[in-house]
Amino acid sequence: MDEVKVVVAHSERATLRVGDVFLKVDADQARIDVEVEAMALAPVPTPEVLWRRPSVLAIAAVPGTALGRLGEPSTASPAAWAAAGAAIRKLHDAPLPPWTGRRRRDPDELAAELDGECELLVTNGVLPADLVTRNRQVAEAALRSWTPAFTHGDLQIDHVFVDGDEVTGIIDWSEAGRGDALFDLATLTLGHEEHVGDVIAGYGTDVDLDVIRAWWSLRSVSDQLSEPMRTVRSDTGSAHRGGAA
């Protein structure tokens, strides 16, 4: 490859691809530190760290292809989705990392944030008030106490790579930490509800579908607010097409 591709770029972080190497430049060194430590601790396949310098992390692409992409049908088999569920369960059952994680919020804090977001959606006319109210009611199930698990924290569908029916790598660990296990499952299956059963088959028990649906609703509310500020991506598509970091 004789070019540098901008995978993602915004005021906090930029990711560049040069051949099979990804360079992550982050204004927050703590995110890089968390990513490296999380990949070292996670009992699942992760990208190889090539080197690390202040504000820059170089990692290798992982083999295989993404499990899918948000907004597009997934071509992965049910067995691949089940394998992803099994890998996530292995992560959630691992010893807790020593840091809390950016996603950890108590129910009262989360409820206050949700109420504020719903108010903004209605006040700014982004969505009809009755639709926001229904989503708020569904999201209520996520506002509960939970037992902390070792979570990825940003387990989007294109962060899980598979080759056939085998998970070959899980990428982008900067949000990892102690968190709600069902948040990971909901993030993975957002927009791909038809594969929830496959994921649970691999994950096992202890899955409350009402909480999964609540996290979907909560994420949808947040996404409506963040839409105007979405990350700028290159016209090559997802950050991780054809191997990722």
Side-chain angles (χ1 to χ4, degrees), residues 64 69 90 95 98 121 140 144 152 194 208 239 241:
R69 311 202 183 280
K90 192 173 182 180
L121 287 174
E140 186 77 26
R144 87 279 181 229
H152 181 280
E194 70 278 9
D208 187 331
R241 185 165 295 161

Side-chain angles (χ1 to χ4, degrees), residues 5-242:
K5 290 187 176 180
V6 178
V7 175
V8 56
H10 49 72
S11 61
E12 295 181 344
R13 168 179 274 195
T15 301
L16 311 175
R17 180 174 185 173
V18 185
D20 288 332
V21 176
F22 286 81
L23 300 176
K24 293 190 170 185
V25 183
D26 201 315
D28 185 351
Q29 180 65 35
R31 276 194 294 260
I32 292 179
D33 295 340
V34 164
E35 184 154 7
V36 172
E37 188 169 358
M39 289 190 292
L41 294 175
V44 296
T46 59
E48 176 188 2
V49 176
L50 301 177
W51 51 264
R52 176 172 40 154
R53 301 287 186 275
S55 301
V56 182
L57 173 65
I59 54 181
V62 299
T65 57
L67 191 61
R69 311 202 183 280
L70 186 61
E72 300 177 11
S74 172
T75 59
S77 68
W81 281 88
I88 298 166
R89 185 57 182 259
K90 192 173 182 180
L91 174 67
H92 291 168
D93 285 344
L96 292 173
W99 64 93
T100 57
R102 298 172 185 271
R103 299 287 186 180
R104 183 171 185 176
R105 288 168 293 185
D106 63 45
D108 290 340
E109 181 184 359
L110 190 60
E113 181 178 313
L114 177 61
D115 289 340
E117 290 176 338
C118 289
E119 183 178 353
L120 284 172
L121 287 174
V122 174
T123 301
N124 295 332
V126 178
L127 292 174
D130 59 342
L131 179 59
V132 173
T133 298
R134 288 198 299 272
N135 271 276
R136 176 63 177 80
Q137 291 170 344
V138 173
E140 186 77 26
L143 310 179
R144 87 279 181 229
S145 298
W146 39 266
T147 301
F150 188 166
T151 57
H152 181 280
D154 189 24
L155 199 62
Q156 300 177 49
I157 186 175
D158 59 354
H159 289 170
V160 179
F161 276 68
V162 295
D163 185 1
D165 299 335
E166 178 183 357
V167 174
T168 56
I170 299 178
I171 65 173
D172 283 1
W173 291 82
S174 62
E175 302 293 329
R178 303 181 187 188
D180 180 358
L182 296 189
F183 178 80
D184 270 356
L185 295 179
T187 303
L188 178 69
T189 54
L190 181 67
H192 291 271
E193 292 86 347
E194 70 278 9
H195 289 293
V196 171
D198 300 324
V199 171
I200 293 176
Y203 187 83
T205 57
D206 304 328
V207 176
D208 187 331
L209 288 177
D210 285 340
V211 176
I212 297 289
R213 296 186 187 99
W215 276 120
W216 288 341
S217 183
L218 215 157
R219 285 292 300 268
S220 296
V221 169
S222 297
D223 287 348
Q224 289 294 328
L225 281 176
S226 62
E227 184 68 32
M229 298 178 288
R230 283 207 182 278
T231 296
V232 176
R233 293 182 181 268
S234 68
D235 59 7
T236 58
S238 169
H240 312 299
R241 185 165 295 161

